[in-house]
Structures are given as C-alpha cells and as structure tokens.
Amino acid sequence: MTGGKSLAGTPCGRHHPGVDRQDVEIVDYYTTQFREDLRLAARPQARLERIRTAELLRELLPPPGARVLDVGGGPGEYARDLVRDGYRVRLLDLTPAHVAQAQAGEPPIEAAVADARSLPEADAAFERYAAAGMHVV
C-alpha cells in the first residue's frame, strides 16, 4: 500500500519515521491489514493467552514499582495491565499506529517507535525487559 488510511484511521504508506525500508512491509501489515488491538479479545484461545501471560508476568517480574521495558508491545495491552498494577512501563514498537494506540489508551503508556534490533535504551536502565510475546529477561 502506498498511501491512504490504516484500519485505525492513521496515515499509512511507504514512509514511516525511524523505520528502515526493510521493515515497511511489517509496519504496513500491522497498520492496514491486522487489528492487533483486538487480537486478545477476538477468540477464546487469545483470551486464554492474555490470562496466562498476565499470570506469568506476575510470577516473573519484581514487585510493582519496578521499571519494565516492553519491546514489541504493540498497542500496549500487557503494558497497560502492568501500569495498573503499579509498574513503570516504557513500550517500544516498530509500528507507529501501535505506539499511538498505547499512548492514547487508558491508562496511557509511555511509548516510542523503535526497532528491537537497536534499542534506544541504556543497558541496565530497566529492571526487566519484556520482548514481543512478553518473554521476560
């Protein structure tokens, strides 16, 4: 797609600030063809994924108040749960529309467009890192 509006109503096309050309297809897919913001509520299996992931995060993360970097966090569903639980979360995602959704939701998430292969964060800036699919490191 070379222009127009995304499913979320945001502009889309071949130029995305901060995104390499090789990633444009990924960004366009998540902007124009797939509703990541609805994925966790769409099917019973996805609802189960959300419940189980929330349980695992509570087991693996340090106590609330810790800083967590959510890499590839999409529109912020898991990050939002962590913020509600008292964590200080920063979300990074390759898709500008996901970052906008994370920032606009309730509670709003501190979020930025970034590539997981080249994180803009300093080492040891966060107590835990959660990457696409919420792998906790």
Side-chain angles (χ1 to χ4, degrees):
M1 179 158 209
T2 58
K5 294 282 185 179
S6 70
L7 292 173
T10 57
C12 60
R14 295 286 174 208
H15 302 287
H16 303 281
V19 178
D20 294 336
R21 288 184 57 82
Q22 66 193 25
D23 298 324
V24 169
E25 281 187 43
I26 295 168
V27 172
D28 281 344
Y29 173 78
Y30 280 106
T31 304
T32 64
Q33 298 179 35
F34 186 77
R35 291 291 307 265
E36 179 69 20
D37 59 321
L38 301 178
R39 182 181 66 83
L40 293 174
R43 302 175 313 154
Q45 299 91 331
R47 289 179 34 231
L48 180 59
E49 172 193 332
R50 183 184 177 108
I51 292 167
R52 184 61 182 137
T53 299
E55 290 173 352
L56 288 171
L57 287 171
R58 286 184 189 97
E59 290 176 24
L60 297 171
L61 290 174
R67 288 178 44 92
V68 176
L69 181 65
D70 185 355
V71 180
E77 292 304 313
Y78 293 121
R80 206 170 312 291
D81 290 344
L82 293 175
V83 168
R84 285 187 192 108
D85 288 345
Y87 290 90
R88 295 174 295 139
V89 179
R90 177 163 167 79
L91 180 146
L92 303 176
D93 198 272
L94 187 63
T95 305
H98 289 171
V99 170
Q101 289 170 333
Q103 293 169 331
E106 189 55 45
I109 305 298
E110 178 189 345
V113 174
D115 188 328
R117 297 168 294 185
S118 178
L119 297 177
E121 307 299 333
D123 288 348
F126 294 83
E127 278 89 344
R128 291 293 188 270
Y129 296 86
M134 295 308 280
H135 303 287
V136 178
V137 180

